[in-house]
């Protein structure tokens, strides 16, 4: 079976990209499994040394940002149809996000790519099918087009995930957008802050919430040098009372079900 082992968020090898990577490295400085060098930052699932995929942010010889899967798929920047651009307004620099959250980021829940409005059903099905054939990918239980890849061992890839533990991260999400007209990247972080504290740190309009998800995380889009790409950080509130079935992956596995 072909196995998805690495997901790489590639950035053009420019000074602006280096500054962005530096800011990301600073933001994730307290995440023990985020290991970086001059030109890359790699997130390795801490739960098991055999779990894959790993997620990497790296400088590369590319003209524009893209997400490359080592199974051969590349997700570039695409703009949806229509004359009116629908994007999330970004008012915070990544360096400022890192400064405000210094010492408060604990883990990376997931990264993801949102395909813009206009993505055809055939394009979507082909991509999801290719990723699911090489990974442990699960439906989002509520029915939205938000499938998730969970890091898995070779045995789990061949069979299924039955061990529900914290540390099966970062996950990888694909989203078929219903509203936004540009490709966007999302990076979801676990913080040790409450909802009230994050609302103070990132008040409207710097921060926002999404319908139905306001009790889970606060969204902060960030500024960057690539006009055809949206980048946002989803800041998860501090958990209370032990790990949830979301953190362990149990909800996705048992309620969503494997995409095969």
């Amino acid at each position: 079976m072909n196995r998805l082992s690495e997901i790489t968020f590639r950035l053009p090898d420019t000074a602006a990209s280096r500054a962005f990577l530096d800011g990301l490295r600073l933001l994730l400085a307290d995440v023990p499994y985020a290991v970086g060098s001059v030109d890359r930052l790699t997130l390795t699932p801490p739960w098991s040394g055999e779990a894959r995929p790993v997620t990497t942010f790296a400088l590369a010889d590319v003209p524009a940002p893209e997400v490359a899967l080592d199974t051969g798929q590349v997700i570039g920047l695409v703009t949806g149809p229509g004359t009116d651009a629908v994007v999330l307004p970004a008012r915070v620099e990544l360096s400022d996000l890192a400064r405000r959250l210094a010492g408060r980021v604990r883990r990376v829940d997931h990264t993801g790519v949102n395909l813009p409005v206009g993505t055809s059903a055939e394009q979507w099905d082909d991509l999801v099918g290719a990723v699911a054939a090489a990974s442990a990918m699960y439906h989002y239980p509520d029915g939205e087009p938000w499938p998730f890849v969970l890091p898995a061992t070779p045995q789990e890839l061949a069979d299924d995930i039955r061990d529900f533990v914290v540390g099966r991260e970062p996950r990888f999400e694909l989203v078929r957008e219903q509203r936004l007209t540009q490709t966007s990247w999302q990076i979801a972080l676990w913080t040790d802050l409450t909802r009230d504290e994050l609302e103070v740190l990132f008040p409207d309009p710097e921060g926002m919430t999404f319908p139905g998800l306001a009790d889970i995380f606060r969204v902060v889009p960030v500024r960057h040098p690539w006009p055809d790409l949206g980048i946002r950080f989803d800041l998860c509130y501090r958990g209370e009372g032990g790990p949830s079935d979301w953190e362990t992956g149990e909800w996705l596995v048992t309620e969503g079900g494997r995409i095969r």
Side-chain angles (χ1 to χ4, degrees), residues 11-78:
L11 300 172
D13 190 356
T14 64
S17 295
R18 289 180 181 276
F20 187 88
L21 192 59
D22 287 343
L24 186 62
R25 189 180 296 112
L26 183 62
L27 177 64
L28 303 184
D30 294 309
V31 177
Y33 52 84
V35 179
S37 61
V38 174
D39 61 353
R40 67 181 47 237
L41 180 66
T42 299
L43 308 172
T44 302
W47 163 69
S48 167
E50 293 186 301
R52 294 293 182 273
V54 302
T55 301
T56 300
F57 293 84
L59 302 179
D61 185 16
V62 293
E66 63 183 27
V67 178
L69 314 184
D70 65 354
T71 47
Q73 295 75 34
V74 177
I75 308 171
L77 304 187
V78 179

Side-chain angles (χ1 to χ4, degrees), residues 106-184:
R106 296 291 175 255
R107 294 158 38 212
V108 181
D109 183 78
H110 68 270
T111 65
V113 181
N114 293 35
L115 280 66
V117 166
T119 301
S120 71
E122 182 180 8
Q123 291 171 319
W124 174 253
D125 291 343
D126 286 349
L127 178 60
V128 171
V131 175
S135 68
M137 190 178 215
Y138 295 86
H139 296 283
Y140 191 78
D142 290 349
E144 290 89 345
W146 307 342
F148 277 85
V149 171
L150 298 184
T153 66
Q155 294 77 18
E156 291 170 332
L157 178 60
D159 181 19
D160 205 354
I161 292 174
R162 308 184 192 282
D163 191 7
F164 304 117
V165 295
V166 174
R168 196 184 290 276
E169 59 194 26
R171 312 163 199 211
F172 178 68
E173 181 183 14
L174 289 175
V175 173
R176 187 181 179 194
E177 270 289 351
Q178 306 300 307
R179 189 170 65 91
L180 301 182
T181 57
Q182 65 178 188
T183 302
S184 57

Side-chain angles (χ1 to χ4, degrees), residues 78-241:
V78 179
T79 301
T83 57
D84 295 328
V86 181
V87 299
L88 294 181
R91 295 175 170 85
V92 178
E93 301 287 346
L94 179 56
S95 58
D96 190 24
L97 182 80
R99 178 187 61 80
R100 296 191 215 182
L101 290 175
R104 313 314 296 262
V105 176
R106 296 291 175 255
R107 294 158 38 212
V108 181
D109 183 78
H110 68 270
T111 65
V113 181
N114 293 35
L115 280 66
V117 166
T119 301
S120 71
E122 182 180 8
Q123 291 171 319
W124 174 253
D125 291 343
D126 286 349
L127 178 60
V128 171
V131 175
S135 68
M137 190 178 215
Y138 295 86
H139 296 283
Y140 191 78
D142 290 349
E144 290 89 345
W146 307 342
F148 277 85
V149 171
L150 298 184
T153 66
Q155 294 77 18
E156 291 170 332
L157 178 60
D159 181 19
D160 205 354
I161 292 174
R162 308 184 192 282
D163 191 7
F164 304 117
V165 295
V166 174
R168 196 184 290 276
E169 59 194 26
R171 312 163 199 211
F172 178 68
E173 181 183 14
L174 289 175
V175 173
R176 187 181 179 194
E177 270 289 351
Q178 306 300 307
R179 189 170 65 91
L180 301 182
T181 57
Q182 65 178 188
T183 302
S184 57
W185 294 356
Q186 51 169 302
I187 304 170
L189 307 177
W190 284 103
T191 75
D192 63 1
L193 297 164
T194 66
R195 177 175 179 173
D196 288 345
E197 289 171 329
L198 279 167
E199 288 176 350
V200 170
L201 270 179
F202 301 100
D204 296 338
E206 291 181 334
M208 64 189 70
T209 57
F210 291 155
L213 299 171
D215 292 334
I216 302 173
F217 59 83
R218 188 155 186 82
V219 179
V220 181
V222 296
R223 292 175 175 167
H224 57 76
W226 307 290
D228 294 326
L229 174 68
I231 301 178
R232 76 172 206 250
F233 287 83
D234 297 342
L235 307 178
C236 301
Y237 313 135
R238 181 176 68 219
E240 305 290 350

